[in-house]
Amino acid sequence: MLQLSFQPVLLELRHPFRLATGMRTHTNIVLTEIRSDNHTGFGEAAMPPYYGENHDTATAFLSLARDVLRQYDRPFPIEEIMARIDALAPGNHAAKASVDIALHDLWGKLEDKPVWQLYGVDPAGMPPTSFTLGMDTPEVMRQKMEESAGFQVIKIKLGSDDDRAIIRAIREVSDKPVYADANQGWTDREKTLDLLHWLKEQNVLLVEQPAPKNDLATAAWLSERSPLPVIADESFQRLADLGDVAAAFHGVNIKLMKCTGLSEGFRALREARKRGLKIMVGCMTETSCGILAAAALAPLCDFADIDGCWLIRNNPFEMPVLTDGKIQLMDKPGLGLKKLGPYS
Ligand code: MG
């Protein structure tokens, strides 16, 4: 019988996020383990505050999930198990993902195959992953530039009145290509369009979520005119949202923590491709567990923004290997994780 255990953990951010409301120094996560025979699958729920999940909601949900998993001896068919997990309660997307990821890791270990191979993924298609560079004091910025040295692409958070100044400041220290994320911050269509043309001249390669998530009309207006690909992030959570966003954006940002894990993520990916959409794979601040799960599907995507475990201090797993700015998919069973010690 499949045995689920889980532990709430606080992930310590390497650099606190500065917000209008104060500083964010940690991300709530829950680490899951699913055991079958002598094998253990690792999973993770990463829960930034804006999606409404936390240690209490995840603990309550995973207690329900534990009873479902007990009814199975093996982690498959995953689609069937995850359909039952999904039906337990609405929401809880990250908690559901923590079950799905652990099932995949366990499945790979039982088959002695990497998760990417279970999905027929070719590691040669791995795109470089961007490294998120939040603005900070000059001293901290220098430190962040050192931390980003191994990455080929930088991701910058925009969406304020200082956007041009932020890009100019970045351009003083780096000429790497940039993914820009407005996080719903731009509301004036014409101004945004001007800015997008200027950003293109600054070697910005794409823009994420320019307008508020429910304003698909503005997204569509911009996508029709934008010189840069416009990617839905907050507007796109799960597979079921794809119909609405497909007409308004050039692409979608698929995150396992939004779409309940690899099972649905893979289906969303195929469906997005059928609709001619570009695909970005993203993450939260996460351990190597969530990151390597996302990396398993990343070669099927156009853009990768899966740097979460480089942004934290207390990763309980060995770091992924980064070569030429790309995460290496290893020939190891499951997700290829090595746990370094007890979770704390
Ligand atoms: Mg985003």
Side-chain angles (χ1 to χ4, degrees), residues 61 64-65 68 79-92 96 238 260 264:
F61 182 83
L64 298 174
V68 173
E79 294 275 336
E80 179 195 304
I81 301 175
M82 284 310 298
R84 291 188 60 191
I85 298 291
D86 196 19
L88 285 173
N92 293 286
K96 290 170 183 175
R238 296 191 61 170
T260 74
E264 185 169 316

PDB file of all heavy atoms in Angstrom, residues 61 64-65 68 79-92 96 238 260 264:
ATOM      1  N   PHE A  61      -5.396  18.928   3.563  1.00  0.00           N
ATOM      2  CA  PHE A  61      -5.647  18.251   2.285  1.00  0.00           C
ATOM      3  C   PHE A  61      -4.875  16.928   2.202  1.00  0.00           C
ATOM      4  O   PHE A  61      -5.419  15.898   1.783  1.00  0.00           O
ATOM      5  CB  PHE A  61      -5.271  19.146   1.105  1.00  0.00           C
ATOM      6  CG  PHE A  61      -5.573  18.499  -0.208  1.00  0.00           C
ATOM      7  CD1 PHE A  61      -6.857  18.548  -0.739  1.00  0.00           C
ATOM      8  CD2 PHE A  61      -4.607  17.772  -0.896  1.00  0.00           C
ATOM      9  CE1 PHE A  61      -7.165  17.903  -1.923  1.00  0.00           C
ATOM     10  CE2 PHE A  61      -4.904  17.119  -2.080  1.00  0.00           C
ATOM     11  CZ  PHE A  61      -6.185  17.189  -2.596  1.00  0.00           C
ATOM     12  N   LEU A  64      -6.366  13.949   3.820  1.00  0.00           N
ATOM     13  CA  LEU A  64      -7.392  13.292   2.999  1.00  0.00           C
ATOM     14  C   LEU A  64      -6.744  12.433   1.910  1.00  0.00           C
ATOM     15  O   LEU A  64      -7.168  11.306   1.636  1.00  0.00           O
ATOM     16  CB  LEU A  64      -8.293  14.333   2.322  1.00  0.00           C
ATOM     17  CG  LEU A  64      -9.121  15.263   3.212  1.00  0.00           C
ATOM     18  CD1 LEU A  64      -9.829  16.308   2.369  1.00  0.00           C
ATOM     19  CD2 LEU A  64     -10.127  14.456   4.030  1.00  0.00           C
ATOM     20  N   ALA A  65      -5.711  13.001   1.293  1.00  0.00           N
ATOM     21  CA  ALA A  65      -5.040  12.291   0.199  1.00  0.00           C
ATOM     22  C   ALA A  65      -4.431  10.979   0.683  1.00  0.00           C
ATOM     23  O   ALA A  65      -4.412   9.971  -0.042  1.00  0.00           O
ATOM     24  CB  ALA A  65      -3.954  13.184  -0.409  1.00  0.00           C
ATOM     25  N   VAL A  68      -6.731   8.031   0.316  1.00  0.00           N
ATOM     26  CA  VAL A  68      -6.888   7.566  -1.073  1.00  0.00           C
ATOM     27  C   VAL A  68      -5.685   6.717  -1.483  1.00  0.00           C
ATOM     28  O   VAL A  68      -5.834   5.629  -2.047  1.00  0.00           O
ATOM     29  CB  VAL A  68      -7.037   8.765  -2.048  1.00  0.00           C
ATOM     30  CG1 VAL A  68      -7.030   8.295  -3.503  1.00  0.00           C
ATOM     31  CG2 VAL A  68      -8.311   9.546  -1.743  1.00  0.00           C
ATOM     32  N   GLU A  79      -2.783   8.894 -13.701  1.00  0.00           N
ATOM     33  CA  GLU A  79      -3.922   9.715 -14.127  1.00  0.00           C
ATOM     34  C   GLU A  79      -5.150   9.408 -13.271  1.00  0.00           C
ATOM     35  O   GLU A  79      -5.875  10.307 -12.863  1.00  0.00           O
ATOM     36  CB  GLU A  79      -4.247   9.447 -15.604  1.00  0.00           C
ATOM     37  CG  GLU A  79      -3.154   9.886 -16.568  1.00  0.00           C
ATOM     38  CD  GLU A  79      -3.270  11.365 -16.923  1.00  0.00           C
ATOM     39  OE1 GLU A  79      -4.377  11.915 -16.827  1.00  0.00           O
ATOM     40  OE2 GLU A  79      -2.231  11.963 -17.301  1.00  0.00           O
ATOM     41  N   GLU A  80      -5.354   8.107 -13.016  1.00  0.00           N
ATOM     42  CA  GLU A  80      -6.535   7.710 -12.222  1.00  0.00           C
ATOM     43  C   GLU A  80      -6.385   8.167 -10.769  1.00  0.00           C
ATOM     44  O   GLU A  80      -7.318   8.733 -10.180  1.00  0.00           O
ATOM     45  CB  GLU A  80      -6.704   6.185 -12.280  1.00  0.00           C
ATOM     46  CG  GLU A  80      -7.893   5.683 -11.473  1.00  0.00           C
ATOM     47  CD  GLU A  80      -7.833   4.174 -11.240  1.00  0.00           C
ATOM     48  OE1 GLU A  80      -7.747   3.428 -12.248  1.00  0.00           O
ATOM     49  OE2 GLU A  80      -7.866   3.742 -10.072  1.00  0.00           O
ATOM     50  N   ILE A  81      -5.208   7.942 -10.207  1.00  0.00           N
ATOM     51  CA  ILE A  81      -4.993   8.345  -8.807  1.00  0.00           C
ATOM     52  C   ILE A  81      -5.162   9.857  -8.670  1.00  0.00           C
ATOM     53  O   ILE A  81      -5.838  10.348  -7.770  1.00  0.00           O
ATOM     54  CB  ILE A  81      -3.595   7.918  -8.304  1.00  0.00           C
ATOM     55  CG1 ILE A  81      -3.432   6.395  -8.408  1.00  0.00           C
ATOM     56  CG2 ILE A  81      -3.375   8.390  -6.868  1.00  0.00           C
ATOM     57  CD1 ILE A  81      -2.030   5.886  -8.048  1.00  0.00           C
ATOM     58  N   MET A  82      -4.565  10.598  -9.606  1.00  0.00           N
ATOM     59  CA  MET A  82      -4.636  12.063  -9.510  1.00  0.00           C
ATOM     60  C   MET A  82      -6.049  12.592  -9.740  1.00  0.00           C
ATOM     61  O   MET A  82      -6.427  13.612  -9.172  1.00  0.00           O
ATOM     62  CB  MET A  82      -3.634  12.715 -10.478  1.00  0.00           C
ATOM     63  CG  MET A  82      -2.185  12.655 -10.005  1.00  0.00           C
ATOM     64  SD  MET A  82      -1.935  13.232  -8.288  1.00  0.00           S
ATOM     65  CE  MET A  82      -2.479  14.946  -8.396  1.00  0.00           C
ATOM     66  N   ALA A  83      -6.841  11.904 -10.553  1.00  0.00           N
ATOM     67  CA  ALA A  83      -8.240  12.325 -10.728  1.00  0.00           C
ATOM     68  C   ALA A  83      -8.987  12.211  -9.396  1.00  0.00           C
ATOM     69  O   ALA A  83      -9.783  13.086  -9.043  1.00  0.00           O
ATOM     70  CB  ALA A  83      -8.918  11.478 -11.808  1.00  0.00           C
ATOM     71  N   ARG A  84      -8.681  11.165  -8.653  1.00  0.00           N
ATOM     72  CA  ARG A  84      -9.331  11.003  -7.341  1.00  0.00           C
ATOM     73  C   ARG A  84      -8.816  12.026  -6.325  1.00  0.00           C
ATOM     74  O   ARG A  84      -9.575  12.561  -5.521  1.00  0.00           O
ATOM     75  CB  ARG A  84      -9.103   9.578  -6.817  1.00  0.00           C
ATOM     76  CG  ARG A  84      -9.857   8.529  -7.636  1.00  0.00           C
ATOM     77  CD  ARG A  84      -9.785   7.167  -7.003  1.00  0.00           C
ATOM     78  NE  ARG A  84     -10.376   7.149  -5.648  1.00  0.00           N
ATOM     79  CZ  ARG A  84     -10.244   6.140  -4.802  1.00  0.00           C
ATOM     80  NH1 ARG A  84      -9.523   5.085  -5.146  1.00  0.00           N
ATOM     81  NH2 ARG A  84     -10.809   6.184  -3.615  1.00  0.00           N
ATOM     82  N   ILE A  85      -7.506  12.294  -6.364  1.00  0.00           N
ATOM     83  CA  ILE A  85      -6.919  13.305  -5.472  1.00  0.00           C
ATOM     84  C   ILE A  85      -7.520  14.685  -5.784  1.00  0.00           C
ATOM     85  O   ILE A  85      -7.905  15.438  -4.889  1.00  0.00           O
ATOM     86  CB  ILE A  85      -5.373  13.355  -5.643  1.00  0.00           C
ATOM     87  CG1 ILE A  85      -4.731  12.010  -5.249  1.00  0.00           C
ATOM     88  CG2 ILE A  85      -4.759  14.519  -4.872  1.00  0.00           C
ATOM     89  CD1 ILE A  85      -4.776  11.672  -3.780  1.00  0.00           C
ATOM     90  N   ASP A  86      -7.626  14.980  -7.074  1.00  0.00           N
ATOM     91  CA  ASP A  86      -8.154  16.284  -7.501  1.00  0.00           C
ATOM     92  C   ASP A  86      -9.598  16.468  -7.033  1.00  0.00           C
ATOM     93  O   ASP A  86     -10.013  17.570  -6.677  1.00  0.00           O
ATOM     94  CB  ASP A  86      -8.072  16.383  -9.036  1.00  0.00           C
ATOM     95  CG  ASP A  86      -8.235  17.800  -9.551  1.00  0.00           C
ATOM     96  OD1 ASP A  86      -8.047  18.750  -8.754  1.00  0.00           O
ATOM     97  OD2 ASP A  86      -8.558  17.961 -10.742  1.00  0.00           O
ATOM     98  N   ALA A  87     -10.352  15.370  -7.022  1.00  0.00           N
ATOM     99  CA  ALA A  87     -11.775  15.445  -6.674  1.00  0.00           C
ATOM    100  C   ALA A  87     -12.009  15.565  -5.163  1.00  0.00           C
ATOM    101  O   ALA A  87     -13.131  15.818  -4.726  1.00  0.00           O
ATOM    102  CB  ALA A  87     -12.503  14.215  -7.222  1.00  0.00           C
ATOM    103  N   LEU A  88     -10.954  15.425  -4.360  1.00  0.00           N
ATOM    104  CA  LEU A  88     -11.129  15.471  -2.899  1.00  0.00           C
ATOM    105  C   LEU A  88     -11.625  16.829  -2.408  1.00  0.00           C
ATOM    106  O   LEU A  88     -12.389  16.922  -1.460  1.00  0.00           O
ATOM    107  CB  LEU A  88      -9.799  15.147  -2.198  1.00  0.00           C
ATOM    108  CG  LEU A  88      -9.366  13.685  -2.191  1.00  0.00           C
ATOM    109  CD1 LEU A  88      -7.950  13.568  -1.619  1.00  0.00           C
ATOM    110  CD2 LEU A  88     -10.342  12.846  -1.369  1.00  0.00           C
ATOM    111  N   ALA A  89     -11.134  17.892  -3.054  1.00  0.00           N
ATOM    112  CA  ALA A  89     -11.503  19.256  -2.652  1.00  0.00           C
ATOM    113  C   ALA A  89     -11.099  20.196  -3.775  1.00  0.00           C
ATOM    114  O   ALA A  89     -10.149  19.902  -4.505  1.00  0.00           O
ATOM    115  CB  ALA A  89     -10.775  19.647  -1.364  1.00  0.00           C
ATOM    116  N   PRO A  90     -11.811  21.320  -3.922  1.00  0.00           N
ATOM    117  CA  PRO A  90     -11.368  22.301  -4.927  1.00  0.00           C
ATOM    118  C   PRO A  90     -10.073  22.981  -4.479  1.00  0.00           C
ATOM    119  O   PRO A  90      -9.680  22.868  -3.303  1.00  0.00           O
ATOM    120  CB  PRO A  90     -12.523  23.308  -4.975  1.00  0.00           C
ATOM    121  CG  PRO A  90     -13.242  23.148  -3.676  1.00  0.00           C
ATOM    122  CD  PRO A  90     -13.016  21.743  -3.208  1.00  0.00           C
ATOM    123  N   GLY A  91      -9.414  23.707  -5.381  1.00  0.00           N
ATOM    124  CA  GLY A  91      -8.185  24.430  -5.021  1.00  0.00           C
ATOM    125  C   GLY A  91      -7.080  23.468  -4.625  1.00  0.00           C
ATOM    126  O   GLY A  91      -6.961  22.378  -5.175  1.00  0.00           O
ATOM    127  N   ASN A  92      -6.260  23.880  -3.652  1.00  0.00           N
ATOM    128  CA  ASN A  92      -5.162  23.032  -3.151  1.00  0.00           C
ATOM    129  C   ASN A  92      -4.230  22.555  -4.268  1.00  0.00           C
ATOM    130  O   ASN A  92      -3.746  21.419  -4.239  1.00  0.00           O
ATOM    131  CB  ASN A  92      -5.723  21.811  -2.397  1.00  0.00           C
ATOM    132  CG  ASN A  92      -6.435  22.188  -1.122  1.00  0.00           C
ATOM    133  OD1 ASN A  92      -5.796  22.539  -0.133  1.00  0.00           O
ATOM    134  ND2 ASN A  92      -7.754  22.162  -1.138  1.00  0.00           N
ATOM    135  N   LYS A  96      -1.854  19.225  -4.218  1.00  0.00           N
ATOM    136  CA  LYS A  96      -2.091  18.151  -5.186  1.00  0.00           C
ATOM    137  C   LYS A  96      -0.802  17.855  -5.966  1.00  0.00           C
ATOM    138  O   LYS A  96      -0.468  16.691  -6.212  1.00  0.00           O
ATOM    139  CB  LYS A  96      -3.222  18.553  -6.144  1.00  0.00           C
ATOM    140  CG  LYS A  96      -4.591  18.582  -5.465  1.00  0.00           C
ATOM    141  CD  LYS A  96      -5.678  19.210  -6.329  1.00  0.00           C
ATOM    142  CE  LYS A  96      -6.996  19.270  -5.551  1.00  0.00           C
ATOM    143  NZ  LYS A  96      -8.072  19.983  -6.293  1.00  0.00           N
ATOM    144  N   ARG A 238      -4.792  26.425 -14.812  1.00  0.00           N
ATOM    145  CA  ARG A 238      -4.924  24.998 -15.113  1.00  0.00           C
ATOM    146  C   ARG A 238      -5.364  24.779 -16.554  1.00  0.00           C
ATOM    147  O   ARG A 238      -5.798  25.701 -17.237  1.00  0.00           O
ATOM    148  CB  ARG A 238      -5.953  24.354 -14.167  1.00  0.00           C
ATOM    149  CG  ARG A 238      -5.553  24.389 -12.718  1.00  0.00           C
ATOM    150  CD  ARG A 238      -6.444  23.511 -11.867  1.00  0.00           C
ATOM    151  NE  ARG A 238      -6.387  22.098 -12.273  1.00  0.00           N
ATOM    152  CZ  ARG A 238      -6.913  21.108 -11.573  1.00  0.00           C
ATOM    153  NH1 ARG A 238      -7.559  21.365 -10.450  1.00  0.00           N
ATOM    154  NH2 ARG A 238      -6.821  19.860 -11.992  1.00  0.00           N
ATOM    155  N   THR A 260      -1.412  21.443 -10.644  1.00  0.00           N
ATOM    156  CA  THR A 260      -1.509  20.197  -9.858  1.00  0.00           C
ATOM    157  C   THR A 260      -0.487  19.120 -10.228  1.00  0.00           C
ATOM    158  O   THR A 260      -0.662  17.968  -9.858  1.00  0.00           O
ATOM    159  CB  THR A 260      -2.931  19.578  -9.867  1.00  0.00           C
ATOM    160  OG1 THR A 260      -3.198  18.971 -11.142  1.00  0.00           O
ATOM    161  CG2 THR A 260      -4.005  20.617  -9.563  1.00  0.00           C
ATOM    162  N   GLU A 264      -1.168  16.737 -15.159  1.00  0.00           N
ATOM    163  CA  GLU A 264      -1.942  17.752 -15.866  1.00  0.00           C
ATOM    164  C   GLU A 264      -1.035  18.698 -16.643  1.00  0.00           C
ATOM    165  O   GLU A 264      -1.402  19.172 -17.722  1.00  0.00           O
ATOM    166  CB  GLU A 264      -2.824  18.538 -14.895  1.00  0.00           C
ATOM    167  CG  GLU A 264      -3.709  19.511 -15.651  1.00  0.00           C
ATOM    168  CD  GLU A 264      -4.799  20.144 -14.811  1.00  0.00           C
ATOM    169  OE1 GLU A 264      -5.456  19.428 -14.028  1.00  0.00           O
ATOM    170  OE2 GLU A 264      -4.994  21.365 -14.953  1.00  0.00           O
TER     171      GLU A 264
END
